[in-house]
């Protein structure tokens, strides 16, 4: 079965993006890999990659090869791997961490999701308006829902999306992945630690929501 790159790209395009443009989707039938690049006007290049067989290491090798062929500057290049899994569990996080912590050549993100999450998103997305009001929508605020998990994970893993929710809303961000964190047996004490972490990060970053969100995600993935 062919990968879901086009569907994920369309989901990303629903949001306000940093200034730039998309190139055409490129397909390598031999490897079963699809790729599309988003080039920001400031020179940053974002490579979105999905693979029919969902092998992160193969996608990584492909991203490195494509980046070299295009003479992309490593410091201005970001690879976003579209990674479909049967279920989200401890093994999922281990695979994601192994890729994202390796910042050799360029920075990497892994957007992981399930078929159920994508199907739910496709059924519900037409009912929402993707502007700042979306963060106040009940479908997003229900952090245990498939739709909320999919969308909130997407906006963190796709750095071309402008994170325009307020610091006040971000203070509740630990609830976003609370259900998923249960798979790693995170304690109530750890959730409290995250609250303190968020508060400190908000102060240190002068209320920069994007920096706080990224720092929090890195903290969660270290579990």
């Amino acid at each position: 079965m062919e990968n879901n790159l086009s569907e994920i790209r369309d989901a990303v395009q629903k949001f306000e993006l940093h200034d730039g443009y998309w190139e055409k989707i490129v397909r390598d039938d031999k490897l079963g890999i699809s790729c599309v690049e988003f080039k920001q006007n400031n020179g940053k290049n974002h490579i979105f990659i999905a693979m029919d067989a969902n092998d992160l290491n193969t996608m990584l090798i492909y991203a490195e090869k494509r980046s070299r062929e295009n003479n992309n500057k490593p410091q201005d290049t970001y690879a976003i791997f579209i990674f479909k899994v049967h279920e989200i569990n401890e093994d999922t996080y281990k695979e994601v961490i192994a890729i994202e912590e390796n910042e050799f050549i360029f920075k990497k993100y892994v957007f992981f999701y399930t078929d159920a999450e994508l199907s739910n998103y496709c059924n519900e997305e037409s009912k929402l308006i993707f502007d700042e009001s979306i963060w106040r929508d009940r479908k997003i605020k229900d952090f245990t829902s498939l739709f909320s998990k999919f969308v909130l994970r997407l906006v963190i893993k796709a750095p071309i999306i402008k994170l325009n929710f307020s610091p006040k809303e971000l203070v509740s961000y630990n609830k976003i992945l609370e259900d998923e964190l249960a798979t790693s047996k995170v304690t109530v004490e750890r959730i409290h630690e995250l609250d303190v972490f968020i508060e400190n990060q908000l102060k240190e970053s002068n209320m920069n929501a994007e920096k706080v969100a990224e720092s929090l995600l890195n903290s969660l993935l270290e579990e």
Side-chain angles (χ1 to χ4, degrees), residues 36-80:
V36 65
E37 298 189 31
F38 181 87
K39 296 185 178 296
Q40 280 188 240
N41 293 346
N42 62 6
K44 292 183 179 180
N45 188 53
H46 304 263
I47 308 171
F48 289 76
I49 298 175
M51 185 176 183
D52 301 351
N54 280 302
D55 185 305
L56 281 174
N57 288 321
T58 301
M59 285 193 275
L60 176 59
I61 293 171
Y62 180 87
E64 292 173 347
K65 177 176 179 291
R66 185 172 181 83
S67 181
R68 286 194 298 269
E69 291 175 346
N70 292 344
N71 294 316
N72 294 333
K73 294 181 180 179
Q75 67 271 24
D76 292 330
T77 302
Y78 303 80
I80 301 92

Side-chain angles (χ1 to χ4, degrees), residues 15-139:
F15 292 92
E16 182 182 2
L17 307 180
H18 292 291
D19 294 336
Y21 63 93
W22 292 96
E23 294 195 333
K24 292 182 179 180
I25 291 180
V26 176
R27 170 79 179 173
D28 186 322
D29 288 319
K30 183 177 179 180
L31 293 175
I33 289 179
S34 299
C35 170
V36 65
E37 298 189 31
F38 181 87
K39 296 185 178 296
Q40 280 188 240
N41 293 346
N42 62 6
K44 292 183 179 180
N45 188 53
H46 304 263
I47 308 171
F48 289 76
I49 298 175
M51 185 176 183
D52 301 351
N54 280 302
D55 185 305
L56 281 174
N57 288 321
T58 301
M59 285 193 275
L60 176 59
I61 293 171
Y62 180 87
E64 292 173 347
K65 177 176 179 291
R66 185 172 181 83
S67 181
R68 286 194 298 269
E69 291 175 346
N70 292 344
N71 294 316
N72 294 333
K73 294 181 180 179
Q75 67 271 24
D76 292 330
T77 302
Y78 303 80
I80 301 92
F81 302 111
I82 312 304
F83 185 45
K84 181 168 67 175
V85 296
H86 294 296
E87 64 177 353
I88 297 171
N89 52 35
E90 188 174 351
D91 289 337
T92 306
Y93 291 111
K94 288 180 180 178
E95 287 189 81
V96 169
I97 291 170
I99 294 296
E100 292 191 337
E101 286 190 344
N102 174 15
E103 295 193 6
F104 178 67
I105 299 184
F106 44 66
K107 190 164 184 178
K108 307 164 185 72
Y109 297 85
V110 180
F111 172 65
F112 53 95
Y113 67 100
T114 65
D115 266 332
E117 288 177 337
L118 179 57
S119 296
N120 182 271
Y121 168 83
C122 291
N123 291 333
E124 298 291 335
E125 56 91 11
S126 62
K127 304 174 186 177
L128 281 82
I129 299 175
F130 286 76
D131 58 15
E132 292 185 10
S133 66
I134 191 174
W135 309 116
R136 297 186 294 275
D137 191 280
R138 61 180 180 79
K139 288 185 175 64

Side-chain angles (χ1 to χ4, degrees), residues 200-214:
N200 291 337
Q201 286 292 309
L202 285 170
K203 293 177 181 177
E204 293 175 8
S205 62
N206 295 319
M207 297 300 188
N208 186 313
E210 183 172 0
K211 289 183 180 179
V212 176
E214 182 176 354

Side-chain angles (χ1 to χ4, degrees), residues 15 111-112 117 121 130 134-158 161 163 165 169-170 172-178 180 213 217:
F15 292 92
F111 172 65
F112 53 95
E117 288 177 337
Y121 168 83
F130 286 76
I134 191 174
W135 309 116
R136 297 186 294 275
D137 191 280
R138 61 180 180 79
K139 288 185 175 64
I140 295 294
K141 286 185 172 293
D142 178 9
F143 299 135
T144 63
S145 73
L146 294 178
F147 183 86
S148 181
K149 290 179 182 180
F150 180 91
V151 169
L152 290 166
R153 197 182 303 122
L154 182 66
V155 299
I156 295 300
K157 297 293 190 173
I161 296 175
L163 297 181
F165 44 85
E169 291 166 318
L170 190 61
S172 299
Y173 187 82
N174 63 295
K175 295 179 182 178
I176 295 171
L177 296 179
E178 187 172 339
E180 293 179 30
L217 184 65

